Amino acid sequence: MHIIVRLFSEITIKSAPVRKRFIKQLRNNLRDLLRPVDPSIRVTRDWEKLDVMAEGDDPQLIQKINQVLATTPGIAHFSLVHQYPLGDQHDVFEKTMVHWKEALTEKTFCVRVKRTGSHDFSSTDLERYVGGGLNQHTEAAGVRLKNPDVTVQLEVKDDQLYVVEARRQGLGGFPIGTQDSVLSLISGGFDSTVSSYLTIKRGLRTHYCFFNLGGREHELGVKEVAFYLWNKFGASHKVRFVTVPFEEVVGEILKNVKNSHMGVVLKRMMLRAAEQVAEQMDIQALVTGESVAQVSSQTLTNLSVIDKVTDTLVLRPLITMDKNDIIDISRKIGTEEFAAAMPEYCGVISKKPTTGAKMADVLEQEANFDFSVLERAVEERRLQTIDQIMADTEQSSVDVEILAELPEAAIVVDIRHPDEVDQSPLKMKDGQEVVCIPFYSLSSKAASLKEGGPYYLYCDKGIMSRLHASHLADDGYQVGVYRP
């Protein structure tokens, strides 16, 4: 199996030393990500592409590799290819026929050839010969040069032929590790998850900072979405998740800040705290999900007042995006459903919030604030590496049973994202039932598990299943973990 990986276009226009560094980083990232898939997978690089190679043509292995390549920043597109020594035009047709005959049935098609080197035929000559042969010897609906149903792609490089069987779009962006680190202020909703995704895609190593305004459910939900984003798009590099307890800060604002200025002051307090966290983590920029005029605190006037509280660079990837565009991206990356279901809590809701806060008024309100409360919140912050987020289960007072082999008539609750379930359905023995409840819906659908049991929660890495099983066990549910 051979997959050719093409670089994101902005990488190809970098200077030679920068381009070389970016390609090397992307190769290293793919090696780290593909090693758990199959240690024998090889990733090599040259000036214009990377080659991913493995023994055999196992469809499941190809699918797993495709999943990694489609979600790794720095890749424009990638193609599954079959490499042969170059023969004459008829030999090229016969080799192409082997891989494309079935796919062309009742479809219009065209042949496109990319050729490098000296040959006794032109690219157009080869396109016509192979296209004519496929049209005569397959059940295709005919040749169509403009907007065909299928495009058959061939590459000829010197004395080698590459028959492209399938081409898939990559994520684009820059490889993680080529840019600096940022600290994303994440609440788990549409905006903060999409802004975090966009910084990951741009090659920024994205750490997470969550301000807990009250409630275990909200914290759990935010940790889930942060883990999902890291695991799907940024797992080549370890990142950290910081929880800052902000309940007392909210209480102080409610007591001592005028109602109309609560939202602006809260955002300023968050930036103050985030600045300290970022400085201690040696991070130079913060990321927020704010968009101009989406809510009252996000007018240009209010954003200007909020920004003046910190000297740290604040990045706002969504600043000019419409809400519908943000939700579309959320849907594309797989976070829409649990962002919509996020059990958010906010005790600071102004009845008539100001849209034009003046600095003098804000400073006057903050003069009544006890800043020792904010300092205490920063000191009591909790820092975890994102892949060790499982440590939360230590708070559970109930031991959770973890089984590799299940009893007969066991009921497994598959809590993976629906995309993961579709790509790799869980196979069970006869008599064992599988119920699919995505982890972001467990809080609302857990009541259906109240009767009977035990139920065994399952996810690929065992992290989400153990985390949820622990909390459900605390609440009296008969649950365990299935970890084959």
Side-chain angles (χ1 to χ4, degrees):
M1 182 207 65
H2 183 185
I3 295 177
I4 293 178
V5 177
R6 298 294 181 183
L7 309 172
F8 175 54
S9 59
E10 288 185 36
I11 297 175
T12 64
I13 61 174
K14 299 291 184 185
S15 65
V18 173
R19 177 172 177 171
K20 183 178 180 181
R21 177 170 63 86
F22 278 33
I23 296 173
K24 182 178 179 181
Q25 184 67 65
L26 179 57
R27 180 202 62 185
N28 292 342
N29 291 353
L30 288 177
R31 284 178 173 175
D32 290 341
L33 292 169
L34 290 171
R35 191 175 297 115
V37 175
D38 186 334
S40 68
I41 295 173
R42 304 182 306 281
V43 183
T44 60
R45 64 184 173 94
D46 60 30
W47 182 243
E48 62 178 7
K49 63 178 173 56
L50 286 87
D51 295 278
V52 178
M53 290 168 283
E55 298 298 326
D57 290 304
D58 178 22
Q60 287 191 336
L61 178 60
I62 294 173
Q63 184 182 51
K64 290 178 180 179
I65 294 173
N66 285 346
Q67 286 177 274
V68 172
L69 297 179
T71 54
T72 299
I75 296 174
H77 56 82
F78 54 96
S79 303
L80 175 64
V81 302
H82 300 274
Q83 184 176 355
Y84 301 100
L86 180 64
D88 59 18
Q89 294 190 67
H90 189 74
D91 182 67
V92 172
F93 154 68
E94 289 182 331
K95 288 181 169 59
T96 305
M97 177 94 149
V98 170
H99 300 289
W100 281 99
K101 182 176 181 179
E102 299 299 327
L104 296 181
T105 301
E106 298 182 358
K107 301 285 182 63
T108 60
F109 76 97
C110 71
V111 177
R112 293 288 180 243
V113 174
K114 180 179 179 181
R115 189 176 59 87
T116 304
S118 178
H119 306 94
D120 59 2
F121 54 82
S122 68
S123 298
T124 302
D125 291 338
L126 190 57
E127 288 173 352
R128 288 173 176 169
Y129 190 96
V130 175
L134 292 175
N135 194 37
Q136 292 179 38
H137 298 283
T138 69
E139 299 297 323
V143 174
R144 181 187 294 168
L145 298 182
K146 292 186 177 180
N147 301 318
D149 297 324
V150 176
T151 299
V152 177
Q153 295 179 322
L154 304 175
E155 293 188 23
V156 175
K157 188 172 183 180
D158 298 323
D159 61 350
Q160 295 295 307
L161 167 68
Y162 298 91
V163 180
V164 179
E165 182 176 331
R167 171 172 160 167
R168 291 188 59 181
Q169 201 66 26
L171 201 62
F174 292 140
I176 298 176
T178 59
Q179 311 300 314
D180 294 322
S181 293
V182 295
L183 184 65
S184 179
L185 279 58
I186 188 166
S187 68
F190 291 103
D191 301 338
S192 63
T193 54
V194 172
S195 62
S196 299
Y197 159 74
L198 291 175
T199 56
I200 294 171
K201 179 182 174 183
R202 199 62 182 172
L204 294 159
R205 190 172 180 176
T206 302
H207 302 267
Y208 302 94
C209 184
F210 168 60
F211 294 97
N212 194 343
L213 306 182
R216 187 185 73 175
E217 292 299 322
H218 187 195
E219 181 177 357
L220 176 60
V222 174
K223 285 182 174 180
E224 288 175 341
V225 73
F227 179 84
Y228 174 85
L229 288 169
W230 169 78
N231 188 50
K232 186 166 186 178
F233 302 107
S236 60
H237 289 68
K238 303 298 184 186
V239 301
R240 286 166 285 183
F241 186 99
V242 183
T243 302
V244 183
F246 240 52
E247 296 95 328
E248 289 188 32
V249 174
V250 169
E252 188 70 14
I253 291 174
L254 290 171
K255 285 191 298 182
N256 298 312
V257 174
K258 187 165 64 175
N259 185 278
S260 60
H261 284 65
M262 285 181 177
V264 171
V265 171
L266 176 62
K267 291 292 182 67
R268 283 168 58 90
M269 294 300 171
M270 287 179 173
L271 287 190
R272 282 188 173 101
E275 179 181 46
Q276 294 183 53
V277 172
E279 183 177 357
Q280 292 161 7
M281 295 173 66
D282 196 26
I283 293 174
Q284 299 180 17
L286 307 175
V287 178
T288 74
E290 291 156 321
S291 175
V292 169
Q294 190 177 115
V295 295
S296 60
S297 65
Q298 295 174 15
T299 62
L300 286 182
T301 301
N302 285 353
L303 288 173
S304 176
V305 170
I306 291 169
D307 269 1
K308 285 184 172 64
V309 79
T310 179
D311 292 328
T312 304
L313 175 65
V314 179
L315 303 177
R316 295 184 170 92
L318 312 183
I319 195 65
T320 61
M321 282 193 185
D322 298 332
K323 191 68 175 184
N324 287 341
D325 295 333
I326 296 169
I327 293 174
D328 286 344
I329 296 175
S330 180
R331 184 178 303 118
K332 176 183 175 182
I333 64 177
T335 63
E336 179 192 20
E337 293 187 30
F338 58 83
M342 186 63 60
E344 263 190 278
Y345 168 88
C346 182
V348 180
I349 302 177
S350 302
K351 294 179 181 177
K352 293 183 178 180
T354 180
T355 57
K358 297 179 179 179
M359 182 57 71
D361 294 337
V362 171
L363 293 176
E364 181 182 350
Q365 294 301 309
E366 290 183 347
N368 301 319
F369 187 90
D370 181 0
F371 278 89
S372 67
V373 174
L374 181 66
E375 292 302 318
R376 185 161 58 250
V378 175
E379 290 173 2
E380 294 176 356
R381 71 192 181 280
R382 187 179 181 199
L383 186 150
Q384 301 168 276
T385 57
I386 195 75
D387 57 329
Q388 293 176 336
I389 217 165
M390 191 45 219
D392 276 358
T393 60
E394 295 173 2
Q395 299 176 1
S396 174
S397 59
V398 180
D399 289 333
V400 175
E401 186 179 31
I402 301 175
L403 296 180
E405 294 289 337
L406 295 176
E408 293 183 8
I411 301 177
V412 174
V413 182
D414 191 337
I415 68 168
R416 294 176 297 168
H417 192 281
D419 289 348
E420 296 176 90
V421 175
D422 290 342
Q423 291 163 356
S424 183
L426 187 59
K427 297 179 181 179
M428 305 299 298
K429 296 178 181 178
D430 291 342
Q432 295 177 339
E433 182 181 351
V434 177
V435 178
C436 294
I437 304 178
F439 58 86
Y440 51 77
S441 299
L442 266 179
S443 59
S444 61
K445 296 183 179 180
S448 64
L449 307 179
K450 199 68 176 180
E451 300 298 328
Y455 297 89
Y456 295 91
L457 274 56
Y458 171 81
C459 67
D460 280 335
K461 294 190 176 181
I463 294 176
M464 289 298 185
S465 53
R466 291 173 64 189
L467 186 61
H468 277 286
S470 176
H471 289 306
L472 289 172
D474 269 346
D475 293 336
Y477 290 84
Q478 296 296 311
V479 295
V481 170
Y482 177 44
R483 189 80 181 111

